[in-house]
Amino acid sequence: MENLSPADLTLEQLARQLCSSEENPEAMLKRVRLLVWQLANG
Amino acid sequence: MITLNNNTAEMLRQRSQRFHDAVDFQKTDRIPNLACVVAWKILDAGYSFVEAFHDDRIMERCVRQFVERYSVDAISDPGAGSAYKLMDVFGTEGYFRAKGHRIDVTPFCLAEAQELPAYLENREEFLLRHLLPRKIPQWKSKTREDFRRALEEQAHMENYGSRITRVLQEEYGMPLLSSSQWGVPTPLIETLLHPVRGVRGLSCDLHRIPEQLDELIAAEDGKNLRAVIEQLDHGPAGHDYRFCFDLRTVIRTSCLLSRKQFERYYWRSMKPVFDACARNHKHILVMVEGSGAHIFDLFRDYPRGVITLMIEHDDPFALRRQLPNVAIAGGMPLLLLGHGTPRECVAHTKRLVQELATEGGYIFCQSNFMCYPNDARRENLLAVCDWLTNGTEV
């Protein structure tokens, strides 16, 4: 599995990398934004 | 879609009404009983913290056992906020670390003072690029698969939240603490305390860069809290009777800020929100962690039926004398629940009800969140709940 080096990616780039062809890119960006907050607060 | 049977729907409405009437200083059939319970329900159900935090089915079982065993009107925490499994994916325990019957807290200071403008410029981007690499070990080695698994856990968390909401409201007729419609308005100074700067970092900022804090807070809160106020001014009127309160907020900074600092950094931002609640007849629960005695009089001018102060270390009887206009939630010390007798616990409960609820305006709950084994004895909590519900003497 390729390394994402997330510290080098912007939020949108990360969401694009995680988005499969069946998923809505905007919904994925929203989920990644939420994930970032959950990890920061968790 | 809610599919309540008539009895459960009526119970949900009655319980919610009981809270709203208490806040409005209206006569209620009995005092609303809010269980301030977090992790204690796990131990009471016979599980360890680690077991429940890592398995939704066990957490649901703990919640069910609690609400079936104790006749309470609502619980503060249905166990939906745990991010343990999410943190597991990234190989770290995060803010809380559970070990057997112990929970340790790791304080974080995740951004330096000079980084605050960059953080506020684009919060999520800053968190991703700067804050998470400091918090999560070996961040750079995380793979697409790690993130995919984290998103799966995120979906599980959301499913649990929806499921436990349905269980409480539809099966047990139990309102949740507050509606998500209005969110939890939080001024920047509270976010700076946790998780951005931590106690030590914010303490330094208050002395080193007070004017910069003013600027940042004015810019941020002016924008973010204005949105909440507009929602309050233009949203639906009345109360949603699936909840105990319309909205809630948490004050942690009263422990750190002097009275003068609190007025400058907190009150200036949040007073317009409280004013909007008063204007729109909304009930807001203000959860004050630690002590807030030096700031309570700021609430003195609100009419009855707006503010409920949920207190921890402060004296509820002194607060009732000081502020006859606010509803009070709290007053049952965990020391008594954990080490007293049923008779002593019921006697204290009676005193709370007799002295604080003469004209309404009182919600029974514990003076801290019940988390640890000695925070309560089952027989004490049962006796108190029985007296509040049925008037049963011990």
Side-chain angles (χ1 to χ4, degrees):
Chain A
M1 192 58 68
E2 68 175 295
N3 278 355
L4 282 173
S5 295
D8 300 326
L9 295 178
T10 65
L11 218 85
E12 288 194 9
Q13 285 170 335
L14 179 58
R16 267 203 303 275
Q17 294 248 14
L18 292 168
C19 197
S20 68
S21 53
E22 302 94 59
E23 288 168 312
N24 178 329
E26 279 186 24
M28 177 56 77
L29 181 59
K30 207 172 159 187
R31 287 180 68 194
V32 173
R33 280 185 195 283
L34 177 63
L35 178 64
V36 165
W37 277 110
Q38 287 170 324
L39 291 172
N41 283 315
Chain B
M1 185 173 166
I2 292 189
T3 51
L4 302 177
N5 68 46
N6 285 344
N7 283 347
T8 319
E10 183 55 27
M11 202 184 296
L12 178 63
R13 167 87 192 190
Q14 277 178 3
R15 282 174 162 154
S16 171
Q17 183 87 51
R18 200 170 280 135
F19 281 92
H20 286 292
D21 285 350
V23 178
D24 280 332
F25 284 75
Q26 301 291 319
K27 196 83 180 157
T28 52
D29 58 342
R30 59 179 173 77
I31 300 300
N33 182 359
L34 169 64
C36 272
V37 60
V38 185
W40 187 83
K41 62 181 174 289
I42 297 169
L43 307 176
D44 191 47
Y47 294 98
S48 73
F49 293 148
V50 174
E51 286 172 317
F53 288 148
H54 289 87
D55 188 333
D56 288 350
R57 289 162 306 177
I58 291 179
M59 184 62 92
E60 181 180 335
R61 222 171 288 157
C62 297
V63 173
R64 282 178 179 275
Q65 284 196 29
F66 187 89
V67 299
E68 286 172 14
R69 181 171 290 137
Y70 304 101
S71 52
V72 299
D73 291 306
I75 60 171
S76 61
D77 172 50
S82 164
Y84 273 91
K85 286 161 75 183
L86 203 57
M87 303 308 287
D88 274 351
V89 172
F90 287 94
T92 184
E93 290 178 301
Y95 188 66
F96 295 109
R97 285 173 293 127
K99 287 175 185 164
H101 288 179
R102 239 178 66 198
I103 299 177
D104 295 336
V105 176
T106 308
F108 284 115
C109 172
L110 297 169
E112 299 303 320
Q114 64 272 19
E115 293 174 320
L116 291 178
Y119 164 72
L120 295 173
E121 179 77 25
N122 189 334
R123 293 182 191 214
E124 287 96 353
E125 204 71 61
F126 182 89
L127 296 177
L128 179 71
R129 303 290 289 275
H130 303 288
L131 189 149
L132 294 179
R134 292 173 199 162
K135 180 176 180 180
I136 295 175
Q138 299 174 319
W139 176 250
K140 285 203 173 195
S141 69
K142 303 306 174 196
T143 63
R144 185 203 300 259
E145 184 57 28
D146 292 325
F147 279 88
R148 279 247 158 245
R149 280 173 49 223
L151 289 174
E152 280 169 23
E153 286 303 337
Q154 184 189 65
H156 287 155
M157 284 170 65
E158 284 169 10
N159 288 341
Y160 176 77
S162 309
R163 192 171 78 239
I164 202 69
T165 297
R166 277 197 307 275
V167 165
L168 288 171
Q169 292 182 334
E170 298 177 23
E171 288 186 38
Y172 295 105
M174 191 165 278
L176 296 192
L177 194 55
S178 68
S179 165
S180 58
Q181 166 138 24
W182 320 101
V184 182
T186 305
L188 180 62
I189 192 73
E190 293 286 341
T191 314
L192 291 179
L193 179 63
H194 176 75
V196 180
R197 293 286 290 136
V199 172
R200 191 188 300 171
L202 184 57
S203 303
C204 293
D205 298 345
L206 289 166
H207 291 95
R208 288 180 188 159
I209 54 165
E211 287 82 15
Q212 196 183 345
L213 283 183
D214 275 332
E215 286 171 24
L216 295 171
I217 285 169
E220 275 301 296
D221 288 343
K223 186 172 54 188
N224 294 335
L225 295 177
R226 192 182 310 128
V228 177
I229 292 165
E230 279 174 15
Q231 281 176 31
L232 283 165
D233 283 338
H234 300 106
H239 311 298
D240 182 336
Y241 288 98
R242 291 172 300 164
F243 302 95
C244 307
F245 298 88
D246 298 309
L247 64 168
R248 72 178 192 270
T249 190
V250 183
I251 299 179
R252 294 187 177 97
T253 49
S254 59
C255 287
L256 184 69
L257 303 181
S258 68
R259 163 62 186 239
K260 205 171 161 184
Q261 287 170 326
F262 189 85
E263 281 191 73
R264 179 175 176 178
Y265 298 119
Y266 180 98
W267 192 249
R268 205 181 290 174
S269 293
M270 279 298 283
K271 183 176 184 300
V273 176
F274 297 127
D275 290 349
C277 289
R279 217 167 34 243
N280 295 289
H281 308 290
K282 294 296 179 194
H283 293 163
I284 183 166
L285 176 68
V286 184
M287 304 163 89
V288 185
E289 291 195 2
S291 174
H294 62 303
I295 55 107
F296 283 152
D297 71 296
L298 291 165
F299 292 97
R300 67 183 176 269
D301 294 329
Y302 289 100
R304 285 181 168 184
V306 180
I307 306 287
T308 300
L309 289 175
M310 186 171 173
I311 55 173
E312 283 194 351
H313 296 162
D314 297 293
D315 178 353
F317 305 106
L319 181 59
R320 169 51 71 237
R321 288 191 295 275
Q322 183 189 8
L323 295 178
N325 58 316
V326 306
I328 296 171
M332 171 51 82
L334 297 190
L335 200 62
L336 187 56
L337 267 183
H339 299 277
T341 64
R343 190 182 294 269
E344 287 169 335
C345 292
V346 169
H348 187 73
T349 306
K350 282 182 189 175
R351 185 182 168 214
L352 288 167
V353 171
Q354 283 160 4
E355 293 190 30
L356 301 179
T358 48
E359 299 174 81
Y362 178 62
I363 291 159
F364 176 86
C365 72
Q366 291 71 27
S367 59
N368 291 90
F369 290 103
M370 293 191 289
C371 291
Y372 303 107
N374 292 332
D375 283 351
R377 282 183 180 150
R378 185 184 288 179
E379 63 268 29
N380 287 347
L381 193 55
L382 283 169
V384 164
C385 290
D386 258 6
W387 184 80
L388 283 164
T389 308
N390 308 313
T392 311
E393 298 286 348
V394 287

